[in-house]
Structure formats: structure tokens, C-alpha cells
Amino acid sequence: MRVAVVGNPENRRVTLFADAVRTAGLPAPRVVPWARVLGEGGADFAPEETVRLDSPGENADVDRLLRGAEDPTRVEGSARWHAAFLAAVRSLRGGIRLDDPDELAVLFDKRRCHGVLSAAGVPVPYSPTSGPSGAPVRGWDDVRALMREHRMPRLFVKLAHGSSGSGVLAVESAASGRIRATTSVELTDGGALFNSLKVRRYDRERDIAAVVDALAPDGLHLERWLPKASQGGRAADLRVLVVDGRATHAVVRTSASPMTNLHLGGSRGDLARARQAFEEAGAPWADVLEVCERAAACFPRTLCVGVDLLPATGWRRAAVAEVNAFGDLLPRLTGLPGSGAEGLDTYAAQIAALVRGRAPHHPHRTEPAHAGA
């Protein structure tokens, strides 16, 4: 088996994947930099070459080519990033793909992804913006109107093409009319928006409106804020990795803020305690994992996805918040008991699926995925 990976060569994602390939006794993968793909208008792969795509993030030069912004900490530009990234994916020629281009287009649009999951019967938070008939959001006035119309006093406002918590606002309104938003977006005096590692709160509606109005041209997705279960007095959710249709790895993320992203102050929780809490509340662990597998089944031509799972208060049930194309960066995490990935990290589990020959191989697919989504 010959393996290639399109990624940023200096990134630990590529390094960890390459280590897993070599550990499995396969030749070291050929690494094709995203910068070269973007600069040269694509790349070519041999028909028998198995091609993995990895995240183009954490590289300032690549980000500049995708978003057109000189400062990688700026929030704006995600719509341009989305269009440029998909064009780059479609400029790759040949090979056996582990990431389907049409499915990537859906995975990187929260509105379309949410609509696909909902149509498939996967439990998701209610959203007025998802699917082909979703309401447009042109700014804060539209958000306010949708909050009233759909009785959503608490909601998440997300960039349609955002990732890693970029541009997310957790908005709460009171009967008195007061409103506040918790976010990692830093609003400068000049109106520019920057991603920050510090989660902050805005209590003035004019500031919240300024942030939302600045983000709206990139596309926004709204979701009802579901009260999360807690662990150790902190809000908790799970990232569950599904490889070749099977849930193989899971990690609990906890936070004192509504955002559980580890780089925003979140920390890993206790998975055994979470599993026990589900079971004691009458939600069998196998059923919880099955929800994640149903979500992944909406993307059958993509080998691996990371499912963000929201456990409800009391751990009685769970809903899917998002499905991530590049959700496998979970260092030192080994497979779940009974998953077939025991003792394997997230990358080794994917290589094992390839060696078994059970991975999705669709090098010549041309029909659109999720028509009408």
C-alpha cells in the first residue's frame, strides 16, 4: 500500500499520521504540502495511491492563501476560506481518496451539515438556519427576529464555515430585555474582530450586534442552546471519533464556559464517569455511541469523522452538535473497549482500517453528495 497525505508538513497532525503509517510496517507516506497545492493549482496522485487530506490550519502562509487575510488571528474571511479550500480539494487529481470532496463541502458548512443530520433522524439541537430552506441571517436584527419567532432565548451563533470555536457566540437573553454573549471573539475599538484564547463576555447589545454584523457576510448558523450535563461542576460534552463506521475513540471535554474547546480553557474529563452517568440515567453507552455512528453514516465516503456530542442535563440523552472532518487530533488517546481499536491511537486505528481493506474507496465519483442539502 502506498499512502500520501496532503497537509502542512511541519504540523503534528502530519507527523502523527506518518508515525502510524511507519509503525504499521508501511512505507513512509508521501507528504504533499497545502502550500504547493494552492500555489501550483493542484497535485497529481498515482491511481493506486491512497490519499488522506489533513487540516490546512495552523500555517500562516496557507491561511493567507485561503482567506486572503494578512493576520491569521482575524476572524473574518471564513466564506472565502471555504470556497478556496474546496477549490483546492477539487484540484487534486487521481488517487484513492479517504475524504470525499462533496462530503467535505457539507461537513464544512454547518447549515448544510445540520440539515443532513436532521433529515437522517440524528438528534440535533433545533436550528432555524439549517438545510435548503434555512432562514438567512444578514445581521443582528435577523438574529433577534429569529430568537423571538422560534422562542430561542438562549442560542449559539456560529460561523457557517468556522472551526475550533472561531466566531462562536453563546447568547442569552432575559425577559427584561437584557442580553449577553460569551465568546472568544475580541472586538477592538476600531471594529475589527480577532480570535483570542481568552473567553470574554459582552453585556452591551450594541457590542454583540457589532460582532454579529461583522460576521454575517461570511454566513451564520443558529442553534438552540441545549443545557449540558456537568462533570465536576463544569459543563461537559464529548468528542467521539468514528472510523470506518465504528466509534473507536472518545474524550470528555469540560469547561467553566459554554465553549469546551481545549485551547479555550477546556480540559479533558473522566470518560468512565461519563459512561457510568449515561448508564445510570437509562441511556445505554452502546446507544450513545450508536448516535455518533448514525451521524457518521451520513458521510459514507469519508473514512474518519469526529462527532461532537452534547449530553443533556442529567445524562439522560444526547444530541449531535457538529461533525468534524479533521476531528482526529486526540494525542495519546487509545481505542474504546470492544471497538476493535484497543491500544491504537486515532491515526493507527485509521491505518488498521485501511489494512483491513474496509475503507471507503471512491477515486472516480462524480455525482453530487446529499443532493439538495
Side-chain angles (χ1 to χ4, degrees):
M1 182 184 297
R2 294 173 56 191
V3 179
V5 56
V6 183
N8 295 326
E10 76 286 355
N11 194 281
R12 59 176 175 164
R13 292 175 178 270
V14 172
T15 301
L16 290 169
F17 178 74
D19 289 344
V21 172
R22 288 190 292 266
T23 299
L26 300 174
R30 180 165 73 100
V31 179
V32 179
W34 277 116
R36 184 190 306 167
V37 172
L38 292 164
E40 298 179 2
D44 294 287
F45 300 90
E48 69 280 5
E49 207 169 12
T50 297
V51 182
R52 165 190 169 87
L53 305 187
D54 221 324
S55 171
E58 301 180 19
N59 181 298
D61 292 334
V62 170
D63 185 74
R64 188 178 302 110
L65 290 170
L66 290 172
R67 291 199 303 132
E70 290 299 320
D71 189 336
T73 65
R74 288 294 293 267
V75 184
E76 305 94 329
S78 59
R80 173 173 171 166
W81 181 99
H82 182 253
F85 173 67
L86 292 181
V89 169
R90 298 187 189 283
S91 73
L92 305 175
R93 300 171 290 270
I96 301 168
R97 306 298 178 82
L98 302 182
D99 311 85
D100 181 83
D102 295 320
E103 292 184 351
L104 283 175
V106 177
L107 287 164
F108 279 100
D109 188 325
K110 298 184 194 303
R111 299 162 302 191
R112 295 182 67 191
C113 185
H114 193 283
V116 166
L117 294 172
S118 181
V122 176
V124 291
Y126 173 75
S127 168
T129 58
S130 69
S133 60
V137 181
R138 294 160 296 231
W140 178 244
D141 288 345
D142 285 344
V143 174
R144 270 300 219 176
L146 290 168
M147 290 172 68
R148 290 190 296 269
E149 179 182 352
H150 296 276
R151 298 182 181 179
M152 299 170 63
R154 302 172 80 239
L155 77 160
F156 280 91
V157 180
K158 302 180 178 181
L159 281 170
H161 311 299
S163 61
S164 302
S166 176
V168 174
L169 294 91
V171 179
E172 304 171 84
S173 62
S176 64
R178 291 186 61 82
I179 195 160
R180 67 182 181 187
T182 304
T183 180
S184 63
V185 175
E186 178 184 356
L187 174 66
T188 67
D189 292 339
L193 306 182
F194 292 88
N195 283 308
S196 170
L197 296 179
K198 176 185 176 182
V199 175
R200 65 199 69 225
R201 179 175 291 169
Y202 294 103
D203 294 305
R204 297 188 302 182
E205 185 165 356
R206 66 175 178 269
D207 291 334
I208 301 170
V211 173
V212 171
D213 288 345
L215 294 178
D218 281 316
L220 294 176
H221 174 60
L222 311 184
E223 290 181 359
R224 190 182 302 279
W225 181 342
L226 299 182
K228 287 183 183 178
S230 63
Q231 187 176 96
R234 293 159 62 90
D237 63 15
L238 290 87
R239 166 68 59 84
V240 179
L241 198 71
V242 181
V243 177
D244 196 24
R246 189 164 189 179
T248 58
H249 298 73
V251 62
V252 177
R253 305 180 302 185
T254 71
S255 176
S257 83
M259 278 77 74
T260 58
N261 305 75
L262 299 182
H263 70 286
L264 296 178
S267 59
R268 289 192 182 187
D270 188 325
L271 182 62
R273 284 179 58 194
R275 176 173 180 171
Q276 181 180 0
F278 274 122
E279 296 279 359
E280 290 178 350
W285 180 240
D287 291 353
V288 172
L289 296 182
E290 194 264 343
V291 170
C292 300
E293 291 171 351
R294 285 166 53 199
C298 294
F299 307 96
R301 293 175 293 277
T302 298
L303 173 65
C304 173
V305 294
V307 179
D308 288 347
L309 195 70
L310 305 175
T313 302
W315 301 89
R316 296 181 299 273
R317 59 187 178 276
V320 173
E322 297 182 13
V323 181
N324 303 272
F326 302 135
D328 54 1
L329 182 61
L330 301 169
R332 301 177 300 281
L333 187 69
T334 54
L336 295 166
S339 68
E342 297 90 340
L344 301 178
D345 69 12
T346 60
Y347 299 99
Q350 293 171 67
I351 298 301
L354 295 180
V355 171
R356 290 194 303 267
R358 294 172 51 214
H361 292 173
H362 299 273
H364 305 300
R365 225 182 65 78
T366 56
E367 69 273 20
H370 307 299

PDB file of all heavy atoms in Angstrom, residues 117 120-124 240 242 247 278 283-298 307-310 317-323:
ATOM      1  N   LEU A 117     -28.010  15.919   8.874  1.00  0.00           N
ATOM      2  CA  LEU A 117     -28.177  15.114  10.086  1.00  0.00           C
ATOM      3  C   LEU A 117     -29.642  15.058  10.488  1.00  0.00           C
ATOM      4  O   LEU A 117     -30.178  13.986  10.807  1.00  0.00           O
ATOM      5  CB  LEU A 117     -27.340  15.706  11.218  1.00  0.00           C
ATOM      6  CG  LEU A 117     -25.816  15.665  11.047  1.00  0.00           C
ATOM      7  CD1 LEU A 117     -25.143  16.468  12.165  1.00  0.00           C
ATOM      8  CD2 LEU A 117     -25.296  14.247  11.035  1.00  0.00           C
ATOM      9  N   ALA A 120     -31.737  12.829   8.398  1.00  0.00           N
ATOM     10  CA  ALA A 120     -31.442  11.412   8.628  1.00  0.00           C
ATOM     11  C   ALA A 120     -31.953  10.927   9.977  1.00  0.00           C
ATOM     12  O   ALA A 120     -31.747   9.754  10.332  1.00  0.00           O
ATOM     13  CB  ALA A 120     -29.937  11.176   8.529  1.00  0.00           C
ATOM     14  N   GLY A 121     -32.600  11.794  10.752  1.00  0.00           N
ATOM     15  CA  GLY A 121     -33.135  11.393  12.045  1.00  0.00           C
ATOM     16  C   GLY A 121     -32.131  11.402  13.168  1.00  0.00           C
ATOM     17  O   GLY A 121     -32.408  10.884  14.259  1.00  0.00           O
ATOM     18  N   VAL A 122     -30.970  12.004  12.941  1.00  0.00           N
ATOM     19  CA  VAL A 122     -29.968  12.122  14.001  1.00  0.00           C
ATOM     20  C   VAL A 122     -30.411  13.251  14.942  1.00  0.00           C
ATOM     21  O   VAL A 122     -30.749  14.339  14.471  1.00  0.00           O
ATOM     22  CB  VAL A 122     -28.577  12.421  13.413  1.00  0.00           C
ATOM     23  CG1 VAL A 122     -27.551  12.645  14.522  1.00  0.00           C
ATOM     24  CG2 VAL A 122     -28.132  11.303  12.493  1.00  0.00           C
ATOM     25  N   PRO A 123     -30.418  13.022  16.259  1.00  0.00           N
ATOM     26  CA  PRO A 123     -30.832  14.099  17.172  1.00  0.00           C
ATOM     27  C   PRO A 123     -29.845  15.255  17.145  1.00  0.00           C
ATOM     28  O   PRO A 123     -28.645  15.069  17.322  1.00  0.00           O
ATOM     29  CB  PRO A 123     -30.860  13.420  18.543  1.00  0.00           C
ATOM     30  CG  PRO A 123     -29.967  12.221  18.403  1.00  0.00           C
ATOM     31  CD  PRO A 123     -30.093  11.774  16.978  1.00  0.00           C
ATOM     32  N   VAL A 124     -30.365  16.458  16.898  1.00  0.00           N
ATOM     33  CA  VAL A 124     -29.549  17.675  16.829  1.00  0.00           C
ATOM     34  C   VAL A 124     -30.309  18.793  17.526  1.00  0.00           C
ATOM     35  O   VAL A 124     -31.538  18.741  17.646  1.00  0.00           O
ATOM     36  CB  VAL A 124     -29.244  18.081  15.366  1.00  0.00           C
ATOM     37  CG1 VAL A 124     -28.305  17.098  14.699  1.00  0.00           C
ATOM     38  CG2 VAL A 124     -30.541  18.211  14.562  1.00  0.00           C
ATOM     39  N   VAL A 240     -16.325  12.192  19.879  1.00  0.00           N
ATOM     40  CA  VAL A 240     -16.295  10.765  19.578  1.00  0.00           C
ATOM     41  C   VAL A 240     -15.797  10.592  18.156  1.00  0.00           C
ATOM     42  O   VAL A 240     -16.362  11.159  17.211  1.00  0.00           O
ATOM     43  CB  VAL A 240     -17.687  10.114  19.743  1.00  0.00           C
ATOM     44  CG1 VAL A 240     -17.626   8.623  19.402  1.00  0.00           C
ATOM     45  CG2 VAL A 240     -18.198  10.313  21.173  1.00  0.00           C
ATOM     46  N   VAL A 242     -15.281   8.407  14.856  1.00  0.00           N
ATOM     47  CA  VAL A 242     -15.869   7.272  14.159  1.00  0.00           C
ATOM     48  C   VAL A 242     -14.978   6.963  12.959  1.00  0.00           C
ATOM     49  O   VAL A 242     -14.791   7.815  12.080  1.00  0.00           O
ATOM     50  CB  VAL A 242     -17.308   7.564  13.705  1.00  0.00           C
ATOM     51  CG1 VAL A 242     -17.899   6.341  12.989  1.00  0.00           C
ATOM     52  CG2 VAL A 242     -18.179   7.953  14.898  1.00  0.00           C
ATOM     53  N   ALA A 247     -17.539   3.722  16.143  1.00  0.00           N
ATOM     54  CA  ALA A 247     -16.989   4.617  17.164  1.00  0.00           C
ATOM     55  C   ALA A 247     -15.786   3.940  17.808  1.00  0.00           C
ATOM     56  O   ALA A 247     -15.918   2.866  18.392  1.00  0.00           O
ATOM     57  CB  ALA A 247     -18.048   4.930  18.210  1.00  0.00           C
ATOM     58  N   PHE A 278     -24.302   8.100  32.018  1.00  0.00           N
ATOM     59  CA  PHE A 278     -25.270   7.752  30.984  1.00  0.00           C
ATOM     60  C   PHE A 278     -26.047   6.496  31.375  1.00  0.00           C
ATOM     61  O   PHE A 278     -27.281   6.452  31.297  1.00  0.00           O
ATOM     62  CB  PHE A 278     -24.563   7.507  29.651  1.00  0.00           C
ATOM     63  CG  PHE A 278     -24.320   8.736  28.815  1.00  0.00           C
ATOM     64  CD1 PHE A 278     -23.031   9.096  28.435  1.00  0.00           C
ATOM     65  CD2 PHE A 278     -25.379   9.510  28.383  1.00  0.00           C
ATOM     66  CE1 PHE A 278     -22.806  10.208  27.647  1.00  0.00           C
ATOM     67  CE2 PHE A 278     -25.164  10.641  27.586  1.00  0.00           C
ATOM     68  CZ  PHE A 278     -23.870  10.982  27.223  1.00  0.00           C
ATOM     69  N   ALA A 283     -29.540   5.648  29.748  1.00  0.00           N
ATOM     70  CA  ALA A 283     -29.071   5.805  28.369  1.00  0.00           C
ATOM     71  C   ALA A 283     -27.890   4.859  28.161  1.00  0.00           C
ATOM     72  O   ALA A 283     -26.754   5.212  28.499  1.00  0.00           O
ATOM     73  CB  ALA A 283     -28.653   7.250  28.094  1.00  0.00           C
ATOM     74  N   PRO A 284     -28.115   3.659  27.653  1.00  0.00           N
ATOM     75  CA  PRO A 284     -27.016   2.699  27.478  1.00  0.00           C
ATOM     76  C   PRO A 284     -25.870   3.283  26.655  1.00  0.00           C
ATOM     77  O   PRO A 284     -26.104   3.975  25.659  1.00  0.00           O
ATOM     78  CB  PRO A 284     -27.684   1.523  26.756  1.00  0.00           C
ATOM     79  CG  PRO A 284     -29.135   1.635  27.112  1.00  0.00           C
ATOM     80  CD  PRO A 284     -29.403   3.111  27.214  1.00  0.00           C
ATOM     81  N   TRP A 285     -24.662   3.015  27.086  1.00  0.00           N
ATOM     82  CA  TRP A 285     -23.479   3.537  26.409  1.00  0.00           C
ATOM     83  C   TRP A 285     -23.461   3.135  24.935  1.00  0.00           C
ATOM     84  O   TRP A 285     -23.099   3.927  24.064  1.00  0.00           O
ATOM     85  CB  TRP A 285     -22.230   3.050  27.124  1.00  0.00           C
ATOM     86  CG  TRP A 285     -20.924   3.497  26.558  1.00  0.00           C
ATOM     87  CD1 TRP A 285     -19.926   2.704  26.084  1.00  0.00           C
ATOM     88  CD2 TRP A 285     -20.435   4.842  26.416  1.00  0.00           C
ATOM     89  NE1 TRP A 285     -18.860   3.456  25.655  1.00  0.00           N
ATOM     90  CE2 TRP A 285     -19.145   4.770  25.856  1.00  0.00           C
ATOM     91  CE3 TRP A 285     -20.978   6.090  26.723  1.00  0.00           C
ATOM     92  CZ2 TRP A 285     -18.386   5.902  25.587  1.00  0.00           C
ATOM     93  CZ3 TRP A 285     -20.217   7.234  26.443  1.00  0.00           C
ATOM     94  CH2 TRP A 285     -18.943   7.124  25.883  1.00  0.00           C
ATOM     95  N   ALA A 286     -23.886   1.905  24.641  1.00  0.00           N
ATOM     96  CA  ALA A 286     -23.914   1.455  23.248  1.00  0.00           C
ATOM     97  C   ALA A 286     -24.848   2.327  22.419  1.00  0.00           C
ATOM     98  O   ALA A 286     -24.570   2.627  21.248  1.00  0.00           O
ATOM     99  CB  ALA A 286     -24.352  -0.007  23.177  1.00  0.00           C
ATOM    100  N   ASP A 287     -25.949   2.781  23.018  1.00  0.00           N
ATOM    101  CA  ASP A 287     -26.882   3.650  22.297  1.00  0.00           C
ATOM    102  C   ASP A 287     -26.279   5.029  22.070  1.00  0.00           C
ATOM    103  O   ASP A 287     -26.523   5.666  21.031  1.00  0.00           O
ATOM    104  CB  ASP A 287     -28.184   3.788  23.077  1.00  0.00           C
ATOM    105  CG  ASP A 287     -28.993   2.492  23.120  1.00  0.00           C
ATOM    106  OD1 ASP A 287     -28.604   1.525  22.427  1.00  0.00           O
ATOM    107  OD2 ASP A 287     -29.996   2.451  23.855  1.00  0.00           O
ATOM    108  N   VAL A 288     -25.510   5.504  23.040  1.00  0.00           N
ATOM    109  CA  VAL A 288     -24.850   6.804  22.900  1.00  0.00           C
ATOM    110  C   VAL A 288     -23.868   6.764  21.725  1.00  0.00           C
ATOM    111  O   VAL A 288     -23.846   7.670  20.871  1.00  0.00           O
ATOM    112  CB  VAL A 288     -24.123   7.180  24.199  1.00  0.00           C
ATOM    113  CG1 VAL A 288     -23.272   8.436  24.009  1.00  0.00           C
ATOM    114  CG2 VAL A 288     -25.125   7.386  25.343  1.00  0.00           C
ATOM    115  N   LEU A 289     -23.069   5.707  21.665  1.00  0.00           N
ATOM    116  CA  LEU A 289     -22.118   5.578  20.562  1.00  0.00           C
ATOM    117  C   LEU A 289     -22.835   5.390  19.230  1.00  0.00           C
ATOM    118  O   LEU A 289     -22.365   5.864  18.189  1.00  0.00           O
ATOM    119  CB  LEU A 289     -21.171   4.405  20.823  1.00  0.00           C
ATOM    120  CG  LEU A 289     -20.259   4.524  22.049  1.00  0.00           C
ATOM    121  CD1 LEU A 289     -19.350   3.303  22.147  1.00  0.00           C
ATOM    122  CD2 LEU A 289     -19.428   5.806  22.004  1.00  0.00           C
ATOM    123  N   GLU A 290     -23.989   4.722  19.276  1.00  0.00           N
ATOM    124  CA  GLU A 290     -24.734   4.480  18.049  1.00  0.00           C
ATOM    125  C   GLU A 290     -25.235   5.784  17.445  1.00  0.00           C
ATOM    126  O   GLU A 290     -25.329   5.923  16.215  1.00  0.00           O
ATOM    127  CB  GLU A 290     -25.901   3.537  18.339  1.00  0.00           C
ATOM    128  CG  GLU A 290     -26.559   2.950  17.092  1.00  0.00           C
ATOM    129  CD  GLU A 290     -27.793   3.733  16.657  1.00  0.00           C
ATOM    130  OE1 GLU A 290     -28.322   4.506  17.487  1.00  0.00           O
ATOM    131  OE2 GLU A 290     -28.215   3.599  15.489  1.00  0.00           O
ATOM    132  N   VAL A 291     -25.554   6.768  18.279  1.00  0.00           N
ATOM    133  CA  VAL A 291     -25.940   8.088  17.778  1.00  0.00           C
ATOM    134  C   VAL A 291     -24.801   8.680  16.941  1.00  0.00           C
ATOM    135  O   VAL A 291     -25.019   9.242  15.859  1.00  0.00           O
ATOM    136  CB  VAL A 291     -26.319   9.022  18.941  1.00  0.00           C
ATOM    137  CG1 VAL A 291     -26.473  10.464  18.449  1.00  0.00           C
ATOM    138  CG2 VAL A 291     -27.609   8.568  19.602  1.00  0.00           C
ATOM    139  N   CYS A 292     -23.579   8.537  17.443  1.00  0.00           N
ATOM    140  CA  CYS A 292     -22.413   9.062  16.721  1.00  0.00           C
ATOM    141  C   CYS A 292     -22.188   8.304  15.413  1.00  0.00           C
ATOM    142  O   CYS A 292     -21.847   8.908  14.380  1.00  0.00           O
ATOM    143  CB  CYS A 292     -21.172   8.972  17.602  1.00  0.00           C
ATOM    144  SG  CYS A 292     -21.301   9.903  19.146  1.00  0.00           S
ATOM    145  N   GLU A 293     -22.389   7.010  15.445  1.00  0.00           N
ATOM    146  CA  GLU A 293     -22.216   6.210  14.230  1.00  0.00           C
ATOM    147  C   GLU A 293     -23.282   6.549  13.190  1.00  0.00           C
ATOM    148  O   GLU A 293     -22.998   6.558  11.984  1.00  0.00           O
ATOM    149  CB  GLU A 293     -22.243   4.732  14.597  1.00  0.00           C
ATOM    150  CG  GLU A 293     -21.025   4.306  15.405  1.00  0.00           C
ATOM    151  CD  GLU A 293     -21.114   2.904  15.962  1.00  0.00           C
ATOM    152  OE1 GLU A 293     -22.209   2.287  15.869  1.00  0.00           O
ATOM    153  OE2 GLU A 293     -20.104   2.409  16.502  1.00  0.00           O
ATOM    154  N   ARG A 294     -24.494   6.865  13.642  1.00  0.00           N
ATOM    155  CA  ARG A 294     -25.540   7.291  12.708  1.00  0.00           C
ATOM    156  C   ARG A 294     -25.178   8.621  12.062  1.00  0.00           C
ATOM    157  O   ARG A 294     -25.446   8.847  10.875  1.00  0.00           O
ATOM    158  CB  ARG A 294     -26.879   7.387  13.427  1.00  0.00           C
ATOM    159  CG  ARG A 294     -27.525   6.041  13.725  1.00  0.00           C
ATOM    160  CD  ARG A 294     -28.649   6.184  14.718  1.00  0.00           C
ATOM    161  NE  ARG A 294     -29.630   7.196  14.311  1.00  0.00           N
ATOM    162  CZ  ARG A 294     -30.491   7.773  15.145  1.00  0.00           C
ATOM    163  NH1 ARG A 294     -30.458   7.453  16.444  1.00  0.00           N
ATOM    164  NH2 ARG A 294     -31.347   8.663  14.706  1.00  0.00           N
ATOM    165  N   ALA A 295     -24.591   9.505  12.848  1.00  0.00           N
ATOM    166  CA  ALA A 295     -24.150  10.782  12.284  1.00  0.00           C
ATOM    167  C   ALA A 295     -23.063  10.565  11.234  1.00  0.00           C
ATOM    168  O   ALA A 295     -23.105  11.154  10.146  1.00  0.00           O
ATOM    169  CB  ALA A 295     -23.651  11.698  13.394  1.00  0.00           C
ATOM    170  N   ALA A 296     -22.100   9.711  11.551  1.00  0.00           N
ATOM    171  CA  ALA A 296     -21.018   9.438  10.607  1.00  0.00           C
ATOM    172  C   ALA A 296     -21.532   8.748   9.350  1.00  0.00           C
ATOM    173  O   ALA A 296     -20.988   8.944   8.255  1.00  0.00           O
ATOM    174  CB  ALA A 296     -19.946   8.584  11.281  1.00  0.00           C
ATOM    175  N   ALA A 297     -22.589   7.945   9.491  1.00  0.00           N
ATOM    176  CA  ALA A 297     -23.140   7.231   8.341  1.00  0.00           C
ATOM    177  C   ALA A 297     -23.709   8.174   7.290  1.00  0.00           C
ATOM    178  O   ALA A 297     -23.924   7.769   6.143  1.00  0.00           O
ATOM    179  CB  ALA A 297     -24.216   6.250   8.804  1.00  0.00           C
ATOM    180  N   CYS A 298     -23.957   9.418   7.663  1.00  0.00           N
ATOM    181  CA  CYS A 298     -24.394  10.416   6.679  1.00  0.00           C
ATOM    182  C   CYS A 298     -23.278  10.779   5.718  1.00  0.00           C
ATOM    183  O   CYS A 298     -23.524  11.449   4.701  1.00  0.00           O
ATOM    184  CB  CYS A 298     -24.887  11.671   7.398  1.00  0.00           C
ATOM    185  SG  CYS A 298     -26.389  11.441   8.375  1.00  0.00           S
ATOM    186  N   VAL A 307     -17.229  13.404  15.948  1.00  0.00           N
ATOM    187  CA  VAL A 307     -18.589  13.826  16.261  1.00  0.00           C
ATOM    188  C   VAL A 307     -18.596  14.511  17.618  1.00  0.00           C
ATOM    189  O   VAL A 307     -18.142  13.939  18.615  1.00  0.00           O
ATOM    190  CB  VAL A 307     -19.550  12.624  16.277  1.00  0.00           C
ATOM    191  CG1 VAL A 307     -20.973  13.067  16.629  1.00  0.00           C
ATOM    192  CG2 VAL A 307     -19.526  11.907  14.928  1.00  0.00           C
ATOM    193  N   ASP A 308     -19.094  15.747  17.651  1.00  0.00           N
ATOM    194  CA  ASP A 308     -19.246  16.468  18.917  1.00  0.00           C
ATOM    195  C   ASP A 308     -20.631  16.158  19.477  1.00  0.00           C
ATOM    196  O   ASP A 308     -21.643  16.481  18.857  1.00  0.00           O
ATOM    197  CB  ASP A 308     -19.070  17.968  18.711  1.00  0.00           C
ATOM    198  CG  ASP A 308     -17.628  18.342  18.426  1.00  0.00           C
ATOM    199  OD1 ASP A 308     -16.743  17.494  18.637  1.00  0.00           O
ATOM    200  OD2 ASP A 308     -17.384  19.475  17.984  1.00  0.00           O
ATOM    201  N   LEU A 309     -20.654  15.529  20.651  1.00  0.00           N
ATOM    202  CA  LEU A 309     -21.885  15.033  21.245  1.00  0.00           C
ATOM    203  C   LEU A 309     -22.233  15.845  22.483  1.00  0.00           C
ATOM    204  O   LEU A 309     -21.385  16.053  23.360  1.00  0.00           O
ATOM    205  CB  LEU A 309     -21.719  13.560  21.611  1.00  0.00           C
ATOM    206  CG  LEU A 309     -23.001  12.786  21.912  1.00  0.00           C
ATOM    207  CD1 LEU A 309     -23.817  12.592  20.636  1.00  0.00           C
ATOM    208  CD2 LEU A 309     -22.675  11.438  22.537  1.00  0.00           C
ATOM    209  N   LEU A 310     -23.481  16.292  22.561  1.00  0.00           N
ATOM    210  CA  LEU A 310     -23.956  17.100  23.680  1.00  0.00           C
ATOM    211  C   LEU A 310     -24.808  16.237  24.609  1.00  0.00           C
ATOM    212  O   LEU A 310     -25.947  15.902  24.262  1.00  0.00           O
ATOM    213  CB  LEU A 310     -24.807  18.266  23.173  1.00  0.00           C
ATOM    214  CG  LEU A 310     -24.169  19.195  22.137  1.00  0.00           C
ATOM    215  CD1 LEU A 310     -25.199  20.225  21.662  1.00  0.00           C
ATOM    216  CD2 LEU A 310     -22.944  19.878  22.714  1.00  0.00           C
ATOM    217  N   ARG A 317     -29.882  11.710  27.731  1.00  0.00           N
ATOM    218  CA  ARG A 317     -29.846  11.524  26.283  1.00  0.00           C
ATOM    219  C   ARG A 317     -28.755  12.429  25.728  1.00  0.00           C
ATOM    220  O   ARG A 317     -28.120  13.174  26.478  1.00  0.00           O
ATOM    221  CB  ARG A 317     -31.196  11.864  25.651  1.00  0.00           C
ATOM    222  CG  ARG A 317     -31.651  13.286  25.904  1.00  0.00           C
ATOM    223  CD  ARG A 317     -33.065  13.528  25.406  1.00  0.00           C
ATOM    224  NE  ARG A 317     -33.502  14.892  25.692  1.00  0.00           N
ATOM    225  CZ  ARG A 317     -34.013  15.288  26.841  1.00  0.00           C
ATOM    226  NH1 ARG A 317     -34.146  14.405  27.834  1.00  0.00           N
ATOM    227  NH2 ARG A 317     -34.377  16.546  27.020  1.00  0.00           N
ATOM    228  N   ALA A 318     -28.560  12.378  24.422  1.00  0.00           N
ATOM    229  CA  ALA A 318     -27.502  13.184  23.811  1.00  0.00           C
ATOM    230  C   ALA A 318     -27.915  13.600  22.406  1.00  0.00           C
ATOM    231  O   ALA A 318     -28.706  12.918  21.737  1.00  0.00           O
ATOM    232  CB  ALA A 318     -26.195  12.402  23.761  1.00  0.00           C
ATOM    233  N   ALA A 319     -27.382  14.728  21.970  1.00  0.00           N
ATOM    234  CA  ALA A 319     -27.622  15.240  20.622  1.00  0.00           C
ATOM    235  C   ALA A 319     -26.276  15.562  19.980  1.00  0.00           C
ATOM    236  O   ALA A 319     -25.275  15.807  20.666  1.00  0.00           O
ATOM    237  CB  ALA A 319     -28.500  16.492  20.665  1.00  0.00           C
ATOM    238  N   VAL A 320     -26.254  15.567  18.661  1.00  0.00           N
ATOM    239  CA  VAL A 320     -25.032  15.852  17.911  1.00  0.00           C
ATOM    240  C   VAL A 320     -24.970  17.341  17.596  1.00  0.00           C
ATOM    241  O   VAL A 320     -25.896  17.899  16.989  1.00  0.00           O
ATOM    242  CB  VAL A 320     -24.981  15.029  16.615  1.00  0.00           C
ATOM    243  CG1 VAL A 320     -23.795  15.459  15.744  1.00  0.00           C
ATOM    244  CG2 VAL A 320     -24.883  13.541  16.942  1.00  0.00           C
ATOM    245  N   ALA A 321     -23.899  17.981  18.019  1.00  0.00           N
ATOM    246  CA  ALA A 321     -23.708  19.407  17.726  1.00  0.00           C
ATOM    247  C   ALA A 321     -23.079  19.603  16.357  1.00  0.00           C
ATOM    248  O   ALA A 321     -23.545  20.418  15.562  1.00  0.00           O
ATOM    249  CB  ALA A 321     -22.844  20.062  18.792  1.00  0.00           C
ATOM    250  N   GLU A 322     -22.012  18.854  16.077  1.00  0.00           N
ATOM    251  CA  GLU A 322     -21.292  19.024  14.819  1.00  0.00           C
ATOM    252  C   GLU A 322     -20.621  17.713  14.441  1.00  0.00           C
ATOM    253  O   GLU A 322     -20.395  16.835  15.285  1.00  0.00           O
ATOM    254  CB  GLU A 322     -20.228  20.121  14.936  1.00  0.00           C
ATOM    255  CG  GLU A 322     -20.779  21.503  15.224  1.00  0.00           C
ATOM    256  CD  GLU A 322     -19.697  22.568  15.273  1.00  0.00           C
ATOM    257  OE1 GLU A 322     -18.564  22.285  14.850  1.00  0.00           O
ATOM    258  OE2 GLU A 322     -19.994  23.682  15.726  1.00  0.00           O
ATOM    259  N   VAL A 323     -20.274  17.610  13.164  1.00  0.00           N
ATOM    260  CA  VAL A 323     -19.448  16.517  12.671  1.00  0.00           C
ATOM    261  C   VAL A 323     -18.237  17.148  12.005  1.00  0.00           C
ATOM    262  O   VAL A 323     -18.370  18.010  11.127  1.00  0.00           O
ATOM    263  CB  VAL A 323     -20.204  15.615  11.684  1.00  0.00           C
ATOM    264  CG1 VAL A 323     -19.312  14.465  11.215  1.00  0.00           C
ATOM    265  CG2 VAL A 323     -21.476  15.061  12.321  1.00  0.00           C
TER     266      VAL A 323
END
